Amino acid sequence: MESPERVEVPAAFEDVDVDVLVQLIADMMERLMAINDQIPLSPESLTRFHSRAPPGISILDYLRRIVRFTRAERSCLLITLHYIDQVSARMPIFFLTSLTCHRFVIAAIAVSSKCLCDAFSSNSVYARVGGIPLGEFNVLERELLRMIDWHLTCTREVLQEYYVSLVHTYSKGTFYISDPLSSSGISSDSDMDYDATPSPTASPAPPPHPEPHPLAPPAQARASSSSPSAPRREASTILIDTATLAPEAPQPPTLEQNMAFAAFQQQQQHDMDTDES
């Protein structure tokens, strides 16, 4: 079997074709979902981002739809990964799965566009593009802001590191950067700085020991089990320093979560009965 033809991509994320960037981000998210979908769902892990069934559109096509109708910029696409990192550190029970990914992505691109861009779409447009009722989308937007504690920005260097890592770990091995050493050290008057006063979480702190390669699925995927003997993986992140973030204390499931979990189980049972008949 012939190996796929390799395609060189620009060293800086600002210059890469938007569809190539979408492919890179979707590939990483697909790998995350494949691992996290194996984790059993529990009532306390349910969030506003959970849907009852996986959407009928792939995350790649979903991202392409968002870009087509909202003109989302490259920085807004990349910073979605930074939001995933933040939520992973603050809420260890949250998992990016096929039930949460699409709704998280549309909310993340909406809030980042409002923060980073001079022009952006209205919530009614984001809701329509994302296939979500407007009232429900407004709730998702507020919930995401709460989950990341309104930390909406990061430096240009952090986004560049995400980009380089996406290229290096792309599962199909199609893309490459010819000069990776210069790609993360680009500095000029034209560089965009997404946060004039970088927070401690914006730049990665030097690790005391070697870490897995950024964006590798096993490093991000988190497993939990009701079995005491099962190994438990703590929330892990890609680039931010988790020591600067305070994770939320575990809470018992609320009445709303229990009701939603019961409805979810009923839907699953109904789907199984339908398939059998």
Side-chain angles (χ1 to χ4, degrees), residues 73-276:
E73 296 188 5
R74 296 167 182 81
S75 56
C76 299
L77 297 170
L78 273 174
I79 206 168
T80 299
L81 307 179
H82 186 63
Y83 296 164
I84 294 172
D85 261 356
Q86 291 193 65
V87 174
S88 296
R90 289 191 171 92
M91 300 181 61
I93 62 172
F94 179 81
F95 304 97
L96 193 76
T97 69
S98 57
L99 298 178
T100 61
C101 187
H102 294 68
R103 290 155 67 90
F104 187 95
V105 163
I106 187 63
I109 292 176
V111 298
S112 63
S113 296
K114 294 177 183 180
C115 177
L116 302 177
C117 305
D118 293 329
F120 48 84
S121 302
S122 64
N123 274 18
S124 60
V125 171
Y126 288 119
R128 187 160 63 250
V129 171
I132 303 170
L134 177 57
E136 190 172 349
F137 178 81
N138 292 338
V139 172
L140 293 179
E141 185 181 48
R142 291 193 298 270
E143 181 66 7
L144 176 58
L145 292 171
R146 183 194 69 81
M147 292 168 74
I148 64 175
D149 196 24
W150 290 82
H151 291 143
L152 290 164
T153 62
C154 69
T155 62
R156 183 255 175 215
E157 288 73 24
V158 168
L159 296 185
Q160 178 66 21
E161 288 191 54
Y162 281 115
Y163 168 62
V164 173
S165 295
L166 286 171
V167 174
H168 288 168
T169 61
Y170 186 58
S171 64
K172 297 180 181 178
T174 309
F175 305 113
Y176 72 95
I177 298 174
S178 61
D179 189 6
L181 292 179
S182 65
S183 64
S184 60
I186 298 172
S187 177
S188 68
D189 293 338
S190 62
D191 282 352
M192 293 184 66
D193 189 0
Y194 298 99
D195 190 357
T197 56
S199 66
T201 63
S203 300
H209 52 77
E211 290 185 346
H213 196 286
L215 290 180
Q220 293 188 78
R222 291 164 284 121
S224 63
S225 172
S226 57
S227 171
S229 60
R232 178 180 178 82
R233 297 180 187 175
E234 297 300 328
S236 58
T237 54
I238 305 170
L239 294 174
I240 62 175
D241 181 9
T242 57
T244 63
L245 300 178
E248 294 184 357
Q251 300 290 334
T254 63
L255 176 61
E256 183 180 13
Q257 286 176 316
N258 282 325
M259 293 175 64
F261 186 69
F264 176 79
Q265 289 182 312
Q266 290 179 353
Q267 181 66 40
Q268 281 192 319
Q269 186 61 46
H270 177 267
D271 293 342
M272 291 174 59
D273 294 340
T274 302
D275 292 339
E276 291 177 356

Side-chain angles (χ1 to χ4, degrees), residues 29-41 50 54 95-101 221-222 268:
M29 290 183 173
E30 289 285 0
R31 286 180 282 141
L32 275 181
M33 289 188 287
I35 295 176
N36 288 339
D37 278 347
Q38 302 176 38
I39 302 173
L41 190 64
H50 279 82
F95 304 97
L96 193 76
T97 69
S98 57
L99 298 178
T100 61
C101 187
R222 291 164 284 121
Q268 281 192 319

